[in-house]
Amino acid sequence: MSGFRKHGRKLTRCAVHLSSDHIGEVFAETRDISETGVFINCKDLLQGLCVGDKLEAKLYSECDHIFHACMRVIRLTDEGVGLAFD
């Protein structure tokens, strides 16, 4: 499937805080990241989300830098959720 992607993924584990009216607040971890989005390992998110839902995200780097972004759900799998930067 990676041959179909416009942007390469980098396996990156970092803490992420997600929030929305649908899910409340959830702390999870990224599996990978690209220029256009992230994949979050969190099976618990699947119950409260639909493709197209918008979330607020705070990604925490190893050096305590916080990146804040508005994100949109683009994919739901058995392992977690794919989010695109909005």
Side-chain angles (χ1 to χ4, degrees):
M1 186 160 165
S2 63
F4 297 104
R5 299 189 188 278
K6 291 181 183 179
H7 302 282
R9 295 337 188 223
K10 180 174 179 175
L11 294 178
T12 303
R13 294 176 111 180
C14 69
V16 61
H17 172 251
L18 302 169
S19 61
S20 79
D21 292 339
H22 300 294
I23 63 167
E25 295 187 6
V26 174
F27 290 91
E29 187 174 76
T30 62
R31 179 180 74 188
D32 60 54
I33 191 165
S34 74
E35 287 182 40
T36 57
V38 297
F39 186 87
I40 306 295
N41 283 328
C42 189
K43 295 177 184 178
D44 296 337
L45 281 174
L46 301 176
Q47 296 175 359
L49 292 176
C50 296
V51 171
D53 285 352
K54 295 191 179 203
L55 305 167
E56 294 291 322
K58 291 180 185 174
L59 289 93
Y60 299 86
S61 72
E62 293 175 2
C63 60
D64 293 330
H65 178 75
I66 300 171
F67 176 74
H68 183 264
C70 294
M71 305 200 82
R72 182 175 28 85
V73 176
I74 58 168
R75 193 176 96 188
L76 298 168
T77 73
D78 291 339
E79 298 172 359
V81 60
L83 302 173
F85 297 113
D86 212 19

